[in-house]
Amino acid sequence: MPDSPAGPPAPPIPLAELLGREELGLRRIAGPDHADLLWVHTSEMADPYPYLLGGELLLTAGVQLKDADTYVARLVQAGASALGFGVAPVHDTVPAALVEACERHGLPLLEVPPETRFTAVARAVWRLMAEARLRELRRVTRAQQALATAAARPDPVPAVLRQLAVQLEGRVALLTADGGVLHAAGGRTAPDVQTALARLARVVAPAAPAPAAPQTPSPGRKPSPSSAAETRGDTHLFAYALGGGQGLALVLATSRRDSGDHTVAGIAVVLLSLLTAPHQGADAAGRSAALVRLLLGASPQDVAPLLGAGDSWTVVHARRADGAPADPLNAGALGAALGSALSDVDRATVRVLLPGPHEPVTPRPGWTLGVSEPSPVAALPDADTQAARALGHAEATRAPLSTHRPGTGGLAGLVPADLAEAHARALLAPLTGPLAETLRCWLSLHGSWDRTAVALTVHRNTVRQRIARCAALLDMDLDDMDVRTELWFALRS
């Protein structure tokens, strides 16, 4: 078939849709009952092969039809999808030899009645193509909106994969450079399909060579393709390389391939490439140098300038509002949303470090946040504690965000800091660290057992036992407001 640099103007039209247009009166009289039509072409040449692109419905009245078998064989060789034969004025009926040849070569043959003009058939095909194109655009638009919404969730990568599996009605997975499954969604696939998908992923995103391997470029080596596909039985397999230099590949397995699927997959590839790319808020070399110096014993004050931190830092603690565990990908996405590349996951809690002046932290959909007050680098441990307490307070009060409020100012500012600290040490000396923290949290939540239990992630009976123990050790009546006020002052000093 001749090569054509141009693609079809619209999604292919099933032959059955054209035959369903009753006003045309078309009738299939030979060949298979299914074909995809990409073009309409009319020709009365004895051999139209040189002028065909492939996928045509070729319309002819058989003016120069002599050798039906050779004629049909050449059409099949050119990639024509179907042949429409116009009855009258040249032939009163479709020649029997043409019917036999189309049946033998597997080319659908349509009888075009005398009252139907070829232009009417062409117009009907183009109208069907326009309708198909409109349906495709609507479907792609809906899919794009659904994928964009999924990308805004607190777990964007798994959410995008789940939505892509719904849109394509198949199995999707994100594979690492070594073939591991990072995330997956959709129905299960057979082991041979999984093996084939992993092989396709290596085609588009080959594993990097070992560090010890010689790094000599090969002059004739071609770059890896951005996508690859194959078919195993009735299952269509696809692999797409993700950008960002992470060596990740998106793989798909679907039982059908509809128009627009490639576009929908391309949208997902762009979103996933953005979501999985490293978010470099500060210079990577500077962060690496800071880490090395910390490990070698340098003080935090010495390494802070390498991060471009300025004089103050803010610590943010976050947990998924739905209780689901966090992972490095959605932790990185949250950090990027807050304007920082410095994020970490500690069990279910994400910790983000915001350097220097930054925009005020605002609630994030799907997350519960606790924010410390801006602190110098030497006070980061205290800021970390503040953020943890603020997160506990936010969860206990079911607020999307809570910010630590410093205890200075007001009446507390009238007492010298050294005297307040000495009084606090003497008053709270009988209490252990966990008891003092439980008492502080309980007082901050106005003596609520349930909310304190939520904030400390313990049972409410544990809170009651600890508060009772505090009352016994301090020999104080914790129901007395004066006692509570004095303890609160001491706990905040």
Side-chain angles (χ1 to χ4, degrees), residues 394-483:
E395 290 182 322
T397 56
R398 293 179 174 84
L401 181 145
S402 178
T403 301
H404 174 80
R405 303 298 180 187
T408 58
L411 294 175
L414 301 177
V415 181
D418 55 343
L419 295 180
E421 184 177 352
H423 173 73
R425 281 200 305 269
L427 180 63
L428 303 175
L431 303 183
T432 62
L435 288 178
E437 176 61 19
T438 300
L439 180 58
R440 186 208 64 79
C441 184
W442 181 72
L443 290 174
S444 73
L445 295 172
H446 311 291
S448 171
W449 308 109
D450 291 330
R451 292 195 292 173
T452 304
V454 171
L456 298 176
T457 64
V458 298
H459 195 275
R460 66 194 307 271
N461 290 340
T462 302
V463 176
R464 288 182 176 276
Q465 293 169 4
R466 290 181 182 178
I467 296 301
R469 181 63 175 163
C470 289
L473 291 173
L474 296 172
D475 192 21
M476 291 181 171
D477 180 8
L478 299 186
D479 291 330
D480 189 313
M481 182 54 67
D482 291 336
V483 171

Coordinates of all heavy atoms in Angstrom, one line a residue, residues 394-483:
A394 N -6.2 20.0 65.2 CA -7.1 20.1 64.0 C -7.9 18.8 63.8 O -9.1 18.9 63.5 CB -6.2 20.3 62.7
E395 N -7.3 17.7 64.1 CA -8.1 16.4 64.0 C -9.1 16.3 65.1 O -10.2 15.9 64.8 CB -7.1 15.2 64.0 CG -6.2 15.1 62.8 CD -5.3 13.9 62.8 OE1 -4.8 13.6 63.9 OE2 -5.1 13.2 61.8
A396 N -8.7 16.8 66.3 CA -9.7 16.7 67.4 C -10.9 17.6 67.2 O -12.0 17.3 67.5 CB -9.0 17.0 68.7
T397 N -10.6 18.8 66.6 CA -11.7 19.7 66.3 C -12.4 19.6 65.0 O -13.2 20.4 64.6 CB -11.2 21.1 66.5 OG1 -10.1 21.4 65.6 CG2 -10.7 21.4 67.9
R398 N -11.9 18.6 64.2 CA -12.4 18.3 62.8 C -12.2 19.6 61.9 O -13.1 19.9 61.1 CB -13.8 17.8 62.9 CG -14.0 16.5 63.5 CD -15.4 16.0 63.6 NE -15.5 14.7 64.1 CZ -15.6 14.3 65.3 NH1 -15.5 15.3 66.2 NH2 -15.7 13.1 65.7
A399 N -11.1 20.3 62.1 CA -10.8 21.4 61.3 C -9.8 21.0 60.2 O -9.0 20.2 60.5 CB -10.2 22.6 62.1
P400 N -9.9 21.6 59.0 CA -8.9 21.2 58.0 C -7.5 21.7 58.3 O -6.5 21.2 57.7 CB -9.5 21.9 56.7 CG -10.3 23.0 57.2 CD -10.9 22.6 58.5
L401 N -7.4 22.8 59.1 CA -6.1 23.3 59.4 C -6.0 24.0 60.8 O -7.0 24.6 61.2 CB -5.7 24.4 58.3 CG -4.3 25.1 58.4 CD1 -3.8 25.4 57.0 CD2 -4.5 26.4 59.2
S402 N -4.9 23.8 61.5 CA -4.7 24.5 62.8 C -3.3 25.0 62.8 O -2.4 24.3 62.4 CB -5.0 23.5 63.9 OG -4.8 24.1 65.2
T403 N -3.2 26.2 63.3 CA -1.9 26.8 63.3 C -1.5 27.1 64.8 O -2.3 27.5 65.6 CB -1.9 28.2 62.6 OG1 -2.2 28.0 61.2 CG2 -0.5 28.9 62.6
H404 N -0.2 26.7 65.1 CA 0.2 26.9 66.5 C 0.3 28.4 66.8 O 0.7 29.2 66.0 CB 1.6 26.3 66.6 CG 2.3 26.6 68.0 ND1 2.0 25.9 69.1 CD2 3.2 27.6 68.3 CE1 2.6 26.4 70.1 NE2 3.4 27.4 69.7
R405 N -0.3 28.7 68.0 CA -0.3 30.1 68.4 C 0.7 30.3 69.6 O 0.6 29.6 70.6 CB -1.6 30.6 68.9 CG -2.7 30.4 67.9 CD -2.5 31.3 66.6 NE -3.5 31.2 65.6 CZ -3.4 31.7 64.4 NH1 -2.4 32.4 64.1 NH2 -4.4 31.5 63.6
P406 N 1.7 31.2 69.5 CA 2.7 31.3 70.5 C 2.0 31.8 71.8 O 1.0 32.5 71.8 CB 3.7 32.4 70.0 CG 2.9 33.1 68.9 CD 1.9 32.1 68.3
G407 N 2.6 31.4 72.9 CA 2.0 31.7 74.2 C 2.5 33.0 74.8 O 2.2 33.3 76.0
T408 N 3.2 33.8 74.0 CA 3.7 35.0 74.6 C 2.6 36.1 74.4 O 1.7 36.0 73.6 CB 5.0 35.4 73.8 OG1 4.7 35.5 72.4 CG2 6.1 34.4 74.1
G409 N 2.8 37.2 75.0 CA 1.9 38.3 74.9 C 0.8 38.3 76.0 O 0.7 37.3 76.8
G410 N 0.0 39.3 76.2 CA -1.0 39.3 77.2 C -0.4 39.3 78.6 O 0.7 39.8 78.8
L411 N -1.1 38.7 79.5 CA -0.6 38.6 80.9 C 0.7 37.8 81.0 O 1.5 38.1 81.9 CB -1.7 38.0 81.8 CG -3.0 38.8 81.9 CD1 -4.0 38.1 82.8 CD2 -2.7 40.2 82.6
A412 N 0.8 36.8 80.2 CA 2.0 35.9 80.3 C 3.3 36.8 80.0 O 4.3 36.5 80.5 CB 1.9 34.8 79.3
G413 N 3.2 37.8 79.2 CA 4.3 38.6 78.9 C 4.8 39.5 80.1 O 5.9 40.1 80.0
L414 N 4.0 39.6 81.1 CA 4.3 40.4 82.3 C 5.3 39.6 83.2 O 5.9 40.3 84.1 CB 3.1 40.8 83.1 CG 2.0 41.6 82.2 CD1 0.8 41.9 83.1 CD2 2.7 42.9 81.8
V415 N 5.3 38.3 83.1 CA 6.2 37.5 84.0 C 7.5 37.3 83.3 O 7.5 36.8 82.1 CB 5.5 36.2 84.3 CG1 6.4 35.4 85.2 CG2 4.1 36.4 84.9
P416 N 8.6 37.6 83.9 CA 9.9 37.3 83.2 C 10.0 35.8 82.9 O 9.6 34.9 83.6 CB 10.9 37.6 84.3 CG 10.2 38.6 85.2 CD 8.8 38.2 85.2
A417 N 10.6 35.5 81.7 CA 10.7 34.2 81.2 C 11.4 33.2 82.1 O 11.0 32.1 82.3 CB 11.4 34.2 79.8
D418 N 12.5 33.7 82.8 CA 13.2 32.7 83.6 C 12.4 32.4 84.9 O 12.4 31.2 85.3 CB 14.6 33.4 84.0 CG 14.4 34.7 84.7 OD1 13.4 35.3 84.5 OD2 15.4 35.2 85.3
L419 N 11.7 33.3 85.4 CA 10.8 33.0 86.6 C 9.7 32.1 86.2 O 9.3 31.2 86.9 CB 10.3 34.3 87.2 CG 11.3 35.3 87.8 CD1 10.6 36.5 88.3 CD2 12.1 34.6 88.9
A420 N 9.1 32.4 85.0 CA 8.0 31.5 84.6 C 8.5 30.1 84.3 O 7.8 29.1 84.7 CB 7.4 32.1 83.3
E421 N 9.7 29.9 83.7 CA 10.2 28.6 83.5 C 10.5 27.9 84.8 O 10.2 26.7 84.9 CB 11.4 28.7 82.6 CG 12.0 27.4 82.2 CD 13.2 27.5 81.2 OE1 13.5 28.7 80.8 OE2 13.8 26.5 81.0
A422 N 11.1 28.6 85.7 CA 11.4 27.9 87.0 C 10.1 27.5 87.7 O 10.1 26.4 88.3 CB 12.2 28.9 87.9
H423 N 9.1 28.3 87.7 CA 7.8 28.0 88.3 C 7.2 26.7 87.7 O 6.7 25.8 88.3 CB 6.9 29.1 88.3 CG 5.5 28.8 88.8 ND1 5.2 28.6 90.1 CD2 4.3 28.6 88.1 CE1 3.9 28.3 90.2 NE2 3.4 28.3 89.0
A424 N 7.3 26.7 86.3 CA 6.8 25.6 85.6 C 7.5 24.3 85.9 O 6.9 23.2 86.1 CB 6.8 25.8 84.1
R425 N 8.8 24.3 86.0 CA 9.6 23.1 86.3 C 9.2 22.6 87.7 O 9.0 21.4 87.9 CB 11.1 23.4 86.3 CG 11.7 23.5 84.9 CD 13.2 23.3 84.9 NE 13.8 24.3 85.8 CZ 14.3 25.4 85.4 NH1 14.1 25.8 84.1 NH2 14.8 26.3 86.2
A426 N 9.1 23.5 88.7 CA 8.7 23.1 90.0 C 7.3 22.5 90.1 O 7.1 21.5 90.7 CB 8.9 24.2 91.0
L427 N 6.4 23.2 89.4 CA 5.0 22.7 89.5 C 4.8 21.4 88.8 O 4.0 20.5 89.3 CB 4.1 23.8 88.9 CG 2.6 23.5 88.9 CD1 2.1 23.4 90.3 CD2 1.8 24.6 88.1
L428 N 5.4 21.2 87.6 CA 5.2 20.0 86.8 C 6.2 18.9 87.0 O 6.1 17.9 86.3 CB 5.2 20.4 85.3 CG 4.2 21.5 84.9 CD1 4.4 21.9 83.5 CD2 2.7 21.0 85.1
A429 N 7.1 19.1 88.0 CA 8.1 18.1 88.2 C 7.6 16.7 88.4 O 8.2 15.7 88.0 CB 9.0 18.5 89.4
P430 N 6.4 16.4 89.1 CA 6.0 15.1 89.3 C 5.5 14.4 88.0 O 5.3 13.1 88.0 CB 4.8 15.2 90.3 CG 5.0 16.5 90.9 CD 5.6 17.4 89.9
L431 N 5.3 15.1 87.0 CA 4.7 14.5 85.8 C 5.8 14.0 84.8 O 6.8 14.7 84.6 CB 3.8 15.5 85.0 CG 2.7 16.1 85.8 CD1 1.9 17.0 84.9 CD2 1.8 15.0 86.4
T432 N 5.6 12.9 84.2 CA 6.4 12.4 83.1 C 6.1 13.1 81.8 O 5.0 13.8 81.7 CB 6.3 10.9 82.9 OG1 4.9 10.6 82.5 CG2 6.6 10.1 84.1
G433 N 6.9 13.0 80.8 CA 6.6 13.6 79.5 C 5.3 13.3 78.9 O 4.5 14.2 78.5
P434 N 4.9 12.0 78.8 CA 3.6 11.6 78.3 C 2.4 12.2 79.1 O 1.4 12.6 78.5 CB 3.6 10.1 78.3 CG 5.0 9.7 78.2 CD 5.8 10.8 79.0
L435 N 2.6 12.2 80.4 CA 1.5 12.7 81.2 C 1.4 14.2 81.0 O 0.2 14.8 80.9 CB 1.8 12.4 82.7 CG 1.6 11.0 83.2 CD1 1.9 10.8 84.6 CD2 0.2 10.5 82.9
A436 N 2.5 15.0 81.0 CA 2.4 16.4 80.7 C 1.8 16.7 79.4 O 1.0 17.7 79.3 CB 3.8 17.0 80.9
E437 N 2.2 16.0 78.3 CA 1.6 16.2 77.0 C 0.1 15.9 77.0 O -0.7 16.6 76.4 CB 2.3 15.3 76.0 CG 1.8 15.4 74.6 CD 1.9 16.8 74.0 OE1 2.6 17.7 74.5 OE2 1.1 17.1 73.0
T438 N -0.3 14.8 77.7 CA -1.7 14.5 77.7 C -2.5 15.6 78.5 O -3.6 16.1 78.0 CB -2.0 13.2 78.5 OG1 -1.3 12.2 77.7 CG2 -3.5 12.9 78.5
L439 N -1.9 16.1 79.6 CA -2.6 17.2 80.3 C -2.7 18.5 79.5 O -3.7 19.2 79.4 CB -1.8 17.5 81.6 CG -2.3 18.6 82.5 CD1 -3.8 18.3 82.9 CD2 -1.4 18.8 83.7
R440 N -1.6 18.8 78.8 CA -1.6 20.0 77.9 C -2.7 19.9 76.8 O -3.4 20.8 76.6 CB -0.2 20.2 77.2 CG -0.1 21.5 76.5 CD 0.9 21.3 75.3 NE 0.4 20.4 74.3 CZ -0.5 20.6 73.4 NH1 -1.0 21.8 73.3 NH2 -0.9 19.7 72.6
C441 N -2.7 18.7 76.2 CA -3.7 18.5 75.1 C -5.1 18.6 75.7 O -6.0 19.2 75.1 CB -3.4 17.2 74.4 SG -4.5 16.9 73.0
W442 N -5.3 18.0 76.8 CA -6.7 17.9 77.4 C -7.2 19.3 77.8 O -8.3 19.7 77.6 CB -6.6 17.0 78.7 CG -7.9 16.8 79.4 CD1 -9.0 16.1 79.0 CD2 -8.2 17.4 80.7 NE1 -10.0 16.2 80.0 CE2 -9.5 16.9 81.0 CE3 -7.5 18.1 81.6 CZ2 -10.1 17.3 82.2 CZ3 -8.1 18.5 82.8 CH2 -9.4 18.0 83.1
L443 N -6.2 20.1 78.4 CA -6.6 21.5 78.7 C -6.9 22.3 77.5 O -7.8 23.2 77.5 CB -5.5 22.1 79.6 CG -5.3 21.6 81.0 CD1 -4.1 22.2 81.6 CD2 -6.5 21.8 81.8
S444 N -6.1 22.1 76.4 CA -6.3 22.9 75.2 C -7.6 22.6 74.5 O -8.1 23.5 73.8 CB -5.1 22.6 74.2 OG -5.3 21.4 73.6
L445 N -8.1 21.4 74.8 CA -9.4 21.0 74.2 C -10.6 21.1 75.2 O -11.6 20.4 75.1 CB -9.3 19.6 73.6 CG -8.3 19.5 72.5 CD1 -8.1 18.0 72.1 CD2 -8.8 20.3 71.3
H446 N -10.4 22.0 76.2 CA -11.4 22.3 77.2 C -11.9 21.0 77.9 O -13.1 20.9 78.3 CB -12.6 23.0 76.5 CG -12.1 24.1 75.6 ND1 -11.6 25.3 76.2 CD2 -12.1 24.3 74.3 CE1 -11.3 26.1 75.2 NE2 -11.6 25.5 74.0
G447 N -11.0 20.1 78.2 CA -11.4 18.9 79.0 C -12.2 17.9 78.3 O -12.9 17.1 78.9
S448 N -12.2 17.9 77.0 CA -12.9 16.9 76.2 C -12.2 15.6 76.1 O -11.1 15.6 75.6 CB -13.2 17.5 74.8 OG -13.8 16.4 74.0
W449 N -12.8 14.5 76.6 CA -12.1 13.2 76.6 C -12.0 12.7 75.2 O -11.0 12.2 74.8 CB -12.9 12.2 77.5 CG -13.2 12.7 78.9 CD1 -14.4 13.1 79.4 CD2 -12.2 12.9 79.9 NE1 -14.3 13.4 80.7 CE2 -12.9 13.3 81.1 CE3 -10.9 12.7 80.0 CZ2 -12.3 13.6 82.3 CZ3 -10.2 12.9 81.2 CH2 -11.0 13.4 82.3
D450 N -13.1 12.8 74.4 CA -13.1 12.2 73.1 C -12.1 13.0 72.1 O -11.4 12.3 71.4 CB -14.5 12.3 72.5 CG -15.5 11.4 73.2 OD1 -15.0 10.3 73.7 OD2 -16.7 11.7 73.3
R451 N -12.2 14.3 72.2 CA -11.3 15.0 71.2 C -9.8 14.9 71.6 O -9.0 14.8 70.8 CB -11.7 16.5 71.2 CG -13.1 16.7 70.5 CD -13.3 18.1 70.1 NE -13.4 19.0 71.3 CZ -13.5 20.3 71.3 NH1 -13.4 20.9 70.1 NH2 -13.6 21.0 72.4
T452 N -9.5 14.8 72.9 CA -8.2 14.5 73.3 C -7.7 13.1 72.9 O -6.6 13.0 72.4 CB -8.1 14.6 74.9 OG1 -8.5 15.9 75.3 CG2 -6.6 14.4 75.3
A453 N -8.6 12.2 73.0 CA -8.2 10.8 72.5 C -7.9 10.8 71.0 O -7.0 10.2 70.6 CB -9.4 9.8 72.8
V454 N -8.7 11.6 70.2 CA -8.5 11.7 68.8 C -7.2 12.3 68.5 O -6.4 11.9 67.7 CB -9.6 12.4 68.1 CG1 -9.3 12.7 66.7 CG2 -10.9 11.6 68.2
A455 N -6.9 13.4 69.2 CA -5.6 14.2 69.0 C -4.4 13.4 69.4 O -3.4 13.4 68.7 CB -5.7 15.5 69.8
L456 N -4.5 12.5 70.4 CA -3.3 11.7 70.9 C -3.3 10.3 70.3 O -2.4 9.6 70.5 CB -3.3 11.7 72.4 CG -3.2 13.0 73.1 CD1 -3.3 12.8 74.6 CD2 -1.8 13.6 72.8
T457 N -4.4 10.0 69.5 CA -4.6 8.7 68.9 C -4.5 7.6 70.0 O -3.8 6.6 69.8 CB -3.5 8.4 67.8 OG1 -2.2 8.5 68.3 CG2 -3.7 9.4 66.7
V458 N -5.2 7.8 71.1 CA -5.3 6.8 72.1 C -6.8 6.6 72.5 O -7.6 7.4 72.0 CB -4.5 7.2 73.4 CG1 -3.0 7.3 73.1 CG2 -5.1 8.5 74.0
H459 N -7.1 5.6 73.3 CA -8.5 5.4 73.7 C -8.9 6.4 74.7 O -8.1 6.9 75.5 CB -8.6 4.0 74.3 CG -10.1 3.5 74.4 ND1 -10.8 3.8 75.5 CD2 -10.8 2.8 73.6 CE1 -12.0 3.3 75.3 NE2 -12.1 2.7 74.2
R460 N -10.2 6.8 74.8 CA -10.6 7.8 75.7 C -10.4 7.4 77.1 O -10.2 8.2 78.0 CB -12.1 8.1 75.4 CG -13.1 7.0 75.7 CD -14.5 7.3 75.1 NE -15.0 8.5 75.5 CZ -15.7 8.7 76.7 NH1 -15.9 7.7 77.5 NH2 -16.2 9.9 77.0
N461 N -10.5 6.1 77.4 CA -10.2 5.6 78.8 C -8.8 5.8 79.2 O -8.5 6.1 80.4 CB -10.6 4.1 78.9 CG -12.1 3.9 78.9 OD1 -12.9 4.8 79.1 ND2 -12.5 2.6 78.6
T462 N -7.9 5.7 78.2 CA -6.4 6.0 78.5 C -6.3 7.5 78.9 O -5.5 7.8 79.8 CB -5.6 5.7 77.2 OG1 -5.8 4.3 76.9 CG2 -4.1 6.0 77.5
V463 N -7.0 8.4 78.2 CA -7.0 9.8 78.6 C -7.5 10.0 80.0 O -6.9 10.7 80.8 CB -7.8 10.6 77.6 CG1 -7.8 12.1 78.0 CG2 -7.2 10.5 76.2
R464 N -8.6 9.3 80.3 CA -9.1 9.5 81.7 C -8.1 9.0 82.7 O -7.9 9.7 83.8 CB -10.4 8.7 81.8 CG -11.6 9.3 81.1 CD -12.9 8.5 81.3 NE -14.0 9.0 80.7 CZ -14.8 10.0 81.2 NH1 -14.5 10.5 82.4 NH2 -15.9 10.5 80.6
Q465 N -7.5 7.9 82.5 CA -6.5 7.3 83.4 C -5.3 8.3 83.6 O -4.9 8.5 84.7 CB -6.1 6.0 83.0 CG -7.2 4.9 83.0 CD -6.7 3.6 82.3 OE1 -5.6 3.5 81.8 NE2 -7.7 2.7 82.2
R466 N -4.9 8.8 82.5 CA -3.7 9.7 82.6 C -4.1 11.0 83.3 O -3.3 11.5 84.1 CB -3.2 10.1 81.2 CG -2.5 8.9 80.5 CD -2.0 9.3 79.1 NE -1.4 8.2 78.4 CZ -0.9 8.3 77.1 NH1 -1.0 9.5 76.5 NH2 -0.4 7.2 76.5
I467 N -5.2 11.6 83.0 CA -5.6 12.8 83.7 C -5.8 12.5 85.2 O -5.4 13.4 86.1 CB -6.9 13.4 83.1 CG1 -6.6 13.8 81.6 CG2 -7.4 14.6 83.9 CD1 -5.5 14.8 81.5
A468 N -6.4 11.4 85.5 CA -6.5 11.0 87.0 C -5.2 10.9 87.6 O -5.0 11.3 88.8 CB -7.3 9.8 87.1
R469 N -4.2 10.3 86.9 CA -2.9 10.2 87.4 C -2.2 11.5 87.6 O -1.5 11.8 88.6 CB -2.0 9.3 86.5 CG -0.6 9.0 86.9 CD -0.6 8.2 88.2 NE 0.8 7.9 88.5 CZ 1.2 7.5 89.7 NH1 0.2 7.4 90.7 NH2 2.4 7.2 90.0
C470 N -2.4 12.5 86.7 CA -1.9 13.8 86.8 C -2.5 14.5 88.1 O -1.7 15.1 88.9 CB -2.2 14.7 85.6 SG -1.3 14.2 84.1
A471 N -3.8 14.4 88.3 CA -4.4 15.0 89.4 C -3.8 14.4 90.7 O -3.6 15.2 91.7 CB -5.9 14.8 89.4
A472 N -3.6 13.1 90.7 CA -3.0 12.5 92.0 C -1.6 12.9 92.2 O -1.2 13.2 93.4 CB -3.1 10.9 91.8
L473 N -0.8 12.9 91.2 CA 0.6 13.3 91.4 C 0.8 14.8 91.7 O 1.7 15.2 92.5 CB 1.4 13.0 90.1 CG 1.6 11.5 89.7 CD1 2.3 11.4 88.4 CD2 2.5 10.8 90.8
L474 N -0.1 15.6 91.2 CA 0.0 17.1 91.4 C -0.7 17.5 92.7 O -0.6 18.6 93.2 CB -0.5 17.9 90.3 CG 0.2 17.8 88.9 CD1 -0.5 18.5 87.8 CD2 1.6 18.4 89.1
D475 N -1.6 16.5 93.2 CA -2.5 16.8 94.3 C -3.3 18.0 94.1 O -3.3 19.0 94.9 CB -1.6 16.9 95.6 CG -2.5 16.9 96.9 OD1 -3.6 16.4 96.8 OD2 -2.0 17.4 97.9
M476 N -4.0 18.1 92.9 CA -4.8 19.2 92.6 C -6.1 18.8 92.1 O -6.3 17.7 91.6 CB -4.1 20.1 91.5 CG -2.8 20.8 91.9 SD -2.1 21.7 90.5 CE -0.8 22.7 91.4
D477 N -7.1 19.7 92.2 CA -8.4 19.5 91.7 C -8.5 20.1 90.3 O -8.6 21.3 90.1 CB -9.5 20.1 92.6 CG -10.9 19.9 92.1 OD1 -11.1 19.1 91.1 OD2 -11.8 20.5 92.7
L478 N -8.5 19.2 89.3 CA -8.4 19.6 87.9 C -9.7 20.2 87.4 O -9.8 20.7 86.3 CB -7.9 18.5 87.0 CG -6.5 18.0 87.3 CD1 -6.1 17.0 86.2 CD2 -5.5 19.1 87.4
D479 N -10.8 20.1 88.2 CA -12.1 20.7 87.9 C -12.1 22.2 88.3 O -13.0 22.9 87.9 CB -13.2 20.0 88.5 CG -13.4 18.6 88.0 OD1 -13.1 18.4 86.8 OD2 -13.9 17.7 88.7
D480 N -11.1 22.6 89.1 CA -11.0 24.0 89.5 C -10.5 24.8 88.4 O -9.3 24.6 87.9 CB -10.2 24.1 90.8 CG -10.2 25.5 91.4 OD1 -10.1 26.5 90.7 OD2 -10.4 25.5 92.6
M481 N -11.2 25.9 88.0 CA -10.7 26.7 86.9 C -9.4 27.4 87.2 O -8.5 27.6 86.3 CB -11.8 27.8 86.5 CG -11.4 28.7 85.3 SD -10.9 27.7 83.8 CE -12.5 27.0 83.4
D482 N -9.2 27.9 88.5 CA -7.9 28.5 88.9 C -6.8 27.5 88.7 O -5.7 27.9 88.2 CB -8.0 29.0 90.3 CG -9.0 30.2 90.5 OD1 -9.2 30.9 89.5 OD2 -9.5 30.4 91.6
V483 N -7.0 26.3 89.1 CA -5.9 25.3 88.9 C -5.6 25.0 87.5 O -4.5 25.0 87.0 CB -6.4 23.9 89.6 CG1 -5.4 22.8 89.3 CG2 -6.5 24.1 91.1

